């Protein structure tokens, strides 16, 4: 995902190399860029108010606005200085940010010609994203221009992009991972609390971003619908399902051997008592993730443990 820069360039671009080095320093793993892109999708969908969660549900004007929001959220996350004629100044060099839903679809205005461009693309459906840097010279641009005098990268130009991340994992949109019948069943419920319960039943074993909870619940206090005191955690415990928060229950997820949620994610897990001292120690005994064929007969245990209980592993 993070290949070394090519050394066969006709002329070495020191400014480009310095920008790449700074971007790698700011985000060695790409997690911060992935979070920016996830947030941009979620803001565009505005699921809490609209219930939308797919790209094809957006209006054309909203799709066009994605690139602007991507630039704004990137600047907020990394605190880039503003450029003179470009969006950012990174490592002292002017850099313009460009987003396209399709690889190579970036439209480059005249003010970006001969400057550095940060080009990014992604797919919420496939849960991947890519980001690279290129110097927008005449040699890498198509000769044709549109009415606004914008041009795009030629085939040679696309091959010359220095990719920092290529098809890197994007925090998933679980509603795009479930089959249509499961999604229909979630949204068929009249009330937000019922839809939230059904979400965690359907998404058992999958990471659920807090934005999806808001989309399904359609309520201002959406996250409250997950917690105890009558929320999904209490209701689904009766069905042997734990709902783990990435903020508080990462160690339990590790002990159960399920995907570990980030601080802004959840995961629901159906559990059964373990036959040995393996798994997660909760409620005075060990528990493991249920397997196909297991018959859950006990409610899921409480998630808060006395201070003298064995380590959660």
């Amino acid at each position: 995902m993070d290949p070394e820069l090519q050394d066969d360039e006709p002329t070495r671009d020191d400014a480009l190399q310095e920008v790449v080095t700074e971007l790698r320093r700011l985000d060695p793993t790409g997690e911060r860029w992935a979070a920016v892109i996830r947030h941009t999708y979620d803001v565009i969908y505005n699921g809490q108010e609209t219930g939308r969660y797919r790209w094809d549900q957006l209006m054309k004007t909203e799709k066009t606005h994605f690139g602007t929001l991507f630039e704004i959220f990137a600047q907020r996350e990394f605190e880039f200085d503003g450029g003179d004629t470009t969006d950012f100044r990174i490592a002292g060099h002017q850099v313009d940010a460009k987003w396209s839903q399709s690889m190579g679809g970036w439209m480059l205005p005249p003010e970006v010609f001969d400057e550095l461009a940060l080009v990014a693309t992604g797919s919420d459906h496939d849960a991947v994203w890519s980001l690279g840097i290129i110097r927008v010279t005449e040699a890498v641009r198509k000769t044709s221009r549109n009415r606004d005098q914008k041009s795009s990268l030629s085939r040679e130009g696309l091959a010359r992009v220095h990719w920092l991340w290529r098809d890197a994992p994007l925090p998933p949109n679980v509603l795009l991972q479930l089959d249509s019948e499961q999604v229909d069943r979630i949204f068929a419920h009249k009330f937000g609390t019922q839809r939230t319960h059904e979400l965690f039943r359907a998404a058992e074993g999958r990471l659920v971003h807090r934005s999806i909870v808001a989309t399904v619940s359609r309520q201002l206090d959406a996250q409250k619908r997950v917690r105890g005191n009558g929320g999904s955690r209490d209701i689904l415990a009766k069905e042997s399902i734990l709902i783990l928060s990435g903020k508080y229950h990462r160690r339990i997820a590790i002990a159960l051997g399920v995907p570990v949620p980030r601080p802004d994610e959840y995961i629901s897990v159906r559990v059964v008592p373990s036959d040995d001292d393996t798994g997660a120690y909760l409620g005075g005994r060990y528990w493991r993730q249920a397997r196909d064929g297991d018959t859950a007969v006990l409610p899921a245990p409480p998630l808060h443990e006395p201070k003298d209980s064995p380590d959660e592993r």
Side-chain angles (χ1 to χ4, degrees), residues 148-166:
D148 298 325
Q149 297 301 301
K150 293 181 179 179
S151 183
S152 58
L153 294 178
S154 63
R155 182 177 299 180
E156 171 67 16
L158 187 58
R160 284 295 180 183
V161 175
H162 293 292
W163 294 108
L164 283 83
W165 293 276
R166 189 76 181 266

Side-chain angles (χ1 to χ4, degrees), residues 18-28 33 78 80 90 118 131-133 164-165:
E18 290 171 9
V19 169
V20 168
T21 298
E22 176 66 1
L23 290 174
R24 284 177 168 160
R25 183 190 69 81
L26 290 171
D27 189 13
W33 278 110
F78 295 100
F80 297 133
I90 304 174
L118 182 152
L131 183 144
I133 297 288
L164 283 83
W165 293 276

Side-chain angles (χ1 to χ4, degrees), residues 182-211:
Q182 291 175 307
V183 175
D184 290 344
R185 192 161 55 246
I186 291 169
F187 284 104
H189 290 282
K190 181 178 180 180
F191 298 108
T193 50
Q194 295 172 330
R195 293 193 296 270
T196 305
H197 302 339
E198 194 63 41
L199 167 67
F200 284 105
R201 290 189 187 103
E204 194 268 325
R206 299 176 185 266
L207 297 173
V208 177
H209 196 273
R210 61 184 292 121
S211 63

Side-chain angles (χ1 to χ4, degrees), residues 51-301:
R52 298 177 307 184
Y53 60 92
R54 301 194 315 263
W55 184 257
D56 62 5
Q57 294 172 321
L58 301 176
M59 298 178 65
K60 182 178 179 180
T61 52
E62 293 174 309
K63 295 177 180 179
T64 302
H65 193 47
F66 189 101
T68 301
L69 288 179
F70 169 71
E71 296 164 15
I72 292 171
F73 296 147
Q75 197 282 330
R76 289 179 184 174
E77 174 66 26
F78 295 100
E79 299 183 339
F80 297 133
D81 292 331
D84 297 331
T85 58
T86 63
D87 296 315
F88 310 137
R89 190 177 290 276
I90 304 174
H93 305 290
Q94 294 205 88
V95 179
D96 209 55
K98 293 298 172 188
W99 174 270
S100 173
Q101 281 295 120
S102 60
M103 179 62 71
W106 309 284
M107 296 307 296
L108 308 165
E111 57 266 28
V112 184
F113 295 173
D114 297 322
E115 300 287 0
L116 295 172
L118 182 152
V119 292
T121 185
S123 168
D124 197 18
H125 183 274
D126 297 325
V128 296
W129 62 280
S130 302
L131 183 144
I133 297 288
I134 189 169
R135 172 79 64 183
V136 186
T137 62
E138 185 175 355
V140 302
R141 301 194 312 264
K142 291 182 179 179
T143 56
S144 59
R145 301 187 186 187
N146 64 12
R147 290 181 300 175
D148 298 325
Q149 297 301 301
K150 293 181 179 179
S151 183
S152 58
L153 294 178
S154 63
R155 182 177 299 180
E156 171 67 16
L158 187 58
R160 284 295 180 183
V161 175
H162 293 292
W163 294 108
L164 283 83
W165 293 276
R166 189 76 181 266
D167 291 334
L170 181 70
N173 176 343
V174 73
L175 291 175
L176 297 178
Q177 297 180 324
L178 300 175
D179 64 45
S180 59
E181 290 184 0
Q182 291 175 307
V183 175
D184 290 344
R185 192 161 55 246
I186 291 169
F187 284 104
H189 290 282
K190 181 178 180 180
F191 298 108
T193 50
Q194 295 172 330
R195 293 193 296 270
T196 305
H197 302 339
E198 194 63 41
L199 167 67
F200 284 105
R201 290 189 187 103
E204 194 268 325
R206 299 176 185 266
L207 297 173
V208 177
H209 196 273
R210 61 184 292 121
S211 63
I212 297 300
V213 175
T215 297
V216 167
S217 171
R218 301 285 301 276
Q219 294 169 322
L220 292 177
D221 56 351
Q223 308 312 312
K224 183 179 179 181
R225 308 296 163 180
V226 180
R227 298 191 289 268
N229 298 319
S232 293
R233 185 168 288 140
D234 279 353
I235 299 302
L236 297 190
K238 301 172 185 177
E239 303 173 23
S240 304
I241 296 175
L242 288 173
I243 299 180
L244 307 178
S245 160
K247 188 174 182 179
Y248 300 110
H249 308 127
R250 291 173 59 86
R251 293 173 64 192
I252 298 175
I254 293 170
L256 290 172
V258 299
V260 180
R262 298 178 178 86
D264 55 0
E265 293 175 328
Y266 305 96
I267 188 167
S268 55
V269 189
R270 190 166 66 96
V271 295
V272 295
S274 177
D275 295 331
D276 51 30
D277 293 345
T278 60
Y281 187 88
L282 297 165
R285 67 189 306 168
Y286 285 93
W287 299 77
R288 61 171 173 81
Q289 183 181 21
R291 307 184 186 101
D292 290 341
D294 282 336
T295 301
V297 295
L298 295 177

